[in-house]
Amino acid sequence: MKSLTPPLLRCLCLNRSMDFIRPKRMLYFWIDKIRNVLLRLSWHLVHSIINLCYFTTGMVHALESHLISRGLLRKYKSLHISKIRYLAIVIESEDACRTSNVIELLQWLAALGIKHVSLYDNEGLLKKSKDIILEKFDGAVLFQDTHENNVLLDQPRMTLEFVSFYDGKEAVARAANVLLMKYIKSGGIGSNQGEQIFTESQMSEALKTVGSGGPEPDLLLIYGPARCHLGFPAWRMRYTEIQHMGPLTCMTYGSLIKAIYRFTTVRQNYGK
Amino acid sequence: MDGNRRYTKRWKLMQGAGHKVGYSALMSMLKYCYELGVRNVTIYAFSIDNFKRSPEEVQSLMDLMLDKIEELLREESIVNRYGIRVYFSGNLKLLNEPVRLAAERVMLATAKNSKAVLSICVAYTSTNEIVHAVQESCEEKWDEIALLNSSGGYEPDESDHLIKVTDIEKHMYMAFAPDPDIIIRTSGETRLSNFLLWQSANCYLYSPSVLWPEIGFRQFLWAILNFQRIQFYLDKKRKQS
């Protein structure tokens, strides 16, 4: 009996403390739950306020864009369009099937005097529709890799290039295999000695060989929900100015002019 | 981290002062990142293109870098406080010996840290990174082919001996880190200037107009809130690619 008492007592004490701990634990549990709910509500509130701010600035930009399109804002009347030699347009793949929007955009660019446009969408839907686009937009010729870049600018009509993911990372892999063949033929000179075997210009040549050697755009306009280049060929984007234009369905002539004007005011040091 | 020299000009400071203030801004930003639970942070400290600057400016930047790299080795430094593993990404052979040796010491000293990662891009450009990765891939394939040749198993037509995108990616300087979610470039500049071009396919690009030495928590918070608005879209794009 005596030996049983301490465990019994301990059991009794534990029970008593359990009776005290359980409500306390429940209380902390509910405090935690309420705190999480309040945090979540605050997060949603903050984002609602941000969405409202963006809606308001969107209205202001739409008005400004309308005034620019009408030619009422003096600042945007004269554009130094010659500063843009190569322009790239990134389109969200879900919008890439809207060929009428794409053609309207190309018509605006042609009217402004842009000589070379690269149209990119990640999945290559624009590439698939290229015949339809070239047929309906008769102001352009298809870009051939064999063109030298300075020849592109002398063309009377716009040169149009269709780019997709195939011309990005996959093209670098194909170009790497071209260099690999050269490397094998040379007997693997410089192998594992830490020497530089390939140069950037050799890489550029290899990319041209595999059909993905287009020029580096001066300006890249993104028509999509986010400021994200969606995999535009990395090799061609070193010093490209990137601007987000919003969804393709909301494109306006005025916002295009504003983006080009902004580009013409930029000064680059190229690292110096 | 753009805008250090413009900051010096704007506030009429001595040459190099902008970079020193920029370093303090960097430390604050790193603290915000690690406190908020951001595990991987990459900074563009020195581009290969920056070697084109005047020799005096390059030397003063190298001296500042050496000084700050050695500070990282101290007991009370940020790397020890947050358990940060430090990597130096880039063509380190282009750096002078003291800086390169200091960088190697820091990488060795922090190799066991595992709570967070700091990648410092020095003597780095994306195009150099891609060429380097292609070169390493070629050397790897050459070794594979040489081995197969010696055992008589090499078939020139087999596609296994061709370089794939995954082969190139595993030889990138930044292969140890996941692709970034947000890239912040200050001073209102909208270009990437040869930084993480390969890794930024599904990344939110944020360009606040503030100069780097003046950046604060406000801009950092705004970047995160903007990222959260499009996170669902970017995650969808990432899964598709």
Side-chain angles (χ1 to χ4, degrees):
Chain A
M1 275 303 282
K2 257 194 183 171
S3 61
L4 278 171
T5 321
L8 253 172
L9 267 172
R10 248 180 299 189
C11 215
L12 265 167
C13 286
L14 258 169
N15 263 333
R16 279 276 165 96
S17 60
M18 288 284 281
D19 286 342
F20 179 67
I21 284 169
R22 220 175 271 132
K24 204 176 173 188
R25 265 203 197 140
M26 291 294 287
L27 180 69
Y28 285 150
F29 172 75
W30 282 108
I31 288 173
D32 216 31
K33 268 239 177 243
I34 292 167
R35 190 181 63 128
N36 283 340
V37 168
L38 285 173
L39 277 173
R40 220 159 236 282
L41 279 172
S42 314
W43 186 86
H44 282 293
L45 182 66
V46 165
H47 274 280
S48 302
I49 294 170
I50 291 172
N51 286 336
L52 193 63
C53 292
Y54 271 112
F55 179 75
T56 315
T57 50
M59 294 284 108
V60 171
H61 286 149
L63 177 65
E64 188 187 23
S65 171
H66 180 73
L67 293 173
I68 295 170
S69 306
R70 289 285 183 96
L72 296 171
L73 291 179
R74 209 183 295 175
K75 191 164 81 162
Y76 301 101
K77 274 190 169 172
S78 57
L79 288 180
H80 298 286
I81 210 77
S82 53
K83 277 192 174 183
I84 303 183
R85 294 160 309 155
Y86 312 109
L87 180 77
I89 311 266
V90 168
I91 294 178
E92 159 56 43
S93 289
E94 281 174 15
D95 288 338
C97 47
R98 295 176 191 278
T99 43
S100 52
N101 287 80
V102 174
I103 289 164
E104 193 180 0
L105 182 60
L106 290 173
Q107 284 165 344
W108 290 344
L109 293 169
L112 287 169
I114 307 281
K115 287 291 180 189
H116 179 99
V117 176
S118 305
L119 283 175
Y120 171 87
D121 80 285
N122 187 272
E123 290 168 32
L125 296 173
L126 286 169
K127 256 189 195 176
K128 288 182 189 155
S129 330
K130 83 174 170 215
D131 291 329
I132 302 172
I133 292 171
L134 285 168
E135 196 189 305
K136 288 190 178 162
F137 175 64
D138 56 4
V141 295
L142 192 61
F143 171 74
Q144 304 289 342
D145 249 327
T146 48
H147 285 150
E148 287 299 321
N149 286 350
N150 51 8
V151 168
L152 286 174
L153 302 173
D154 292 335
Q155 300 281 333
R157 294 159 84 188
M158 183 196 282
T159 320
L160 206 51
E161 186 191 1
F162 292 87
V163 187
S164 69
F165 184 76
Y166 182 76
D167 304 291
K169 291 184 181 181
E170 289 186 14
V172 170
R174 292 196 307 278
N177 285 307
V178 167
L179 293 172
L180 175 65
M181 292 303 129
K182 277 192 186 152
Y183 186 61
I184 291 173
K185 276 192 188 138
S186 72
I189 297 167
S191 167
N192 298 325
Q193 283 162 26
E195 290 169 21
Q196 190 183 348
I197 309 169
F198 303 126
T199 61
E200 288 186 23
S201 44
Q202 281 174 307
M203 189 70 204
S204 299
E205 277 308 311
L207 280 164
K208 252 193 182 146
T209 312
V210 301
S212 297
E216 269 188 59
D218 301 298
L219 175 62
L220 188 126
L221 301 177
I222 299 173
Y223 283 94
R227 189 157 178 269
C228 169
H229 65 74
L230 302 176
F232 188 85
W235 195 258
R236 296 168 59 178
M237 233 182 14
R238 293 178 303 162
Y239 306 109
T240 305
E241 299 288 335
I242 301 170
Q243 295 205 34
H244 180 220
M245 307 296 289
L248 187 69
T249 45
C250 304
M251 68 180 204
T252 60
Y253 182 69
S255 56
L256 179 65
I257 299 282
K258 188 177 174 189
I260 292 174
Y261 175 81
R262 230 176 123 189
F263 168 77
T264 58
T265 60
V266 164
R267 197 184 75 95
Q268 282 207 36
N269 287 332
Y270 299 98
K272 275 202 219 149
Chain B
M1 298 190 286
D2 198 10
N4 299 299
R5 292 185 296 180
R6 269 172 275 188
Y7 181 85
T8 304
K9 237 187 229 171
R10 187 182 288 183
W11 294 103
K12 299 183 177 56
L13 302 171
M14 274 174 48
Q15 199 186 11
H19 285 95
K20 292 191 176 117
V21 181
Y23 177 76
S24 315
L26 171 63
M27 287 298 115
S28 308
M29 288 299 283
L30 288 179
K31 277 177 207 154
Y32 300 144
C33 287
Y34 295 124
E35 289 285 344
L36 282 177
V38 176
R39 253 195 69 100
N40 283 279
V41 180
T42 304
I43 60 174
Y44 200 11
F46 195 87
S47 164
I48 294 177
D49 293 332
N50 294 149
F51 281 114
K52 291 187 238 170
R53 294 182 182 182
S54 70
E56 300 80 29
E57 189 177 345
V58 173
Q59 189 55 48
S60 82
L61 286 171
M62 289 293 142
D63 292 340
L64 177 69
M65 231 185 316
L66 181 61
D67 188 34
K68 298 306 173 190
I69 290 172
E70 281 173 350
E71 248 181 58
L72 290 176
L73 286 166
R74 286 189 209 143
E75 194 61 42
E76 68 281 4
S77 76
I78 193 174
V79 297
N80 291 321
R81 212 182 324 156
Y82 293 101
I84 303 171
R85 181 168 183 177
V86 179
Y87 288 92
F88 283 86
S89 308
N91 192 351
L92 303 184
K93 291 189 195 120
L94 297 175
L95 297 171
N96 61 35
E97 208 177 318
V99 177
R100 193 176 64 248
L101 291 174
E104 282 164 10
R105 274 203 311 274
V106 170
M107 285 197 277
L108 203 60
T110 59
K112 291 204 176 74
N113 294 348
S114 58
K115 287 196 188 134
V117 172
L118 173 63
S119 328
I120 304 176
C121 292
V122 199
Y124 172 95
T125 56
S126 249
T127 42
N128 179 265
E129 183 185 26
I130 292 170
V131 171
H132 170 261
V134 165
Q135 182 169 309
E136 295 270 300
S137 306
C138 286
E139 285 175 358
E140 187 188 46
K141 288 292 168 190
W142 170 257
D143 290 342
E144 263 176 40
I145 289 167
L147 200 65
L148 283 169
N149 258 337
S150 61
S151 61
Y154 175 56
E155 298 290 331
D157 296 330
E158 268 184 40
S159 64
D160 281 349
H161 306 301
L162 292 178
I163 297 172
K164 300 181 193 63
V165 172
T166 42
D167 295 318
I168 299 174
E169 287 188 329
K170 78 174 185 236
H171 288 117
M172 291 278 192
Y173 291 134
M174 293 293 302
F176 57 86
D179 288 349
D181 295 301
I182 308 175
I183 292 183
I184 300 177
R185 181 182 179 149
T186 49
S187 308
E189 304 296 346
T190 58
R191 56 192 178 273
L192 287 169
S193 292
N194 226 333
F195 180 57
L196 300 183
L197 302 178
W198 182 277
Q199 295 86 350
S200 55
N202 298 306
C203 168
Y204 171 53
L205 309 174
Y206 175 55
S207 297
S209 55
V210 70
L211 300 176
W212 174 255
E214 295 170 336
I215 198 169
F217 185 68
R218 187 163 58 97
Q219 286 84 12
F220 179 60
L221 184 64
W222 190 240
I224 293 177
L225 289 171
N226 276 307
F227 168 74
Q228 286 178 337
R229 291 179 81 230
I230 51 164
Q231 188 175 359
F232 180 74
Y233 169 75
L234 290 178
D235 283 345
K236 192 174 76 165
K237 288 283 134 190
R238 218 163 268 210
K239 284 191 188 121
Q240 281 171 0
S241 62

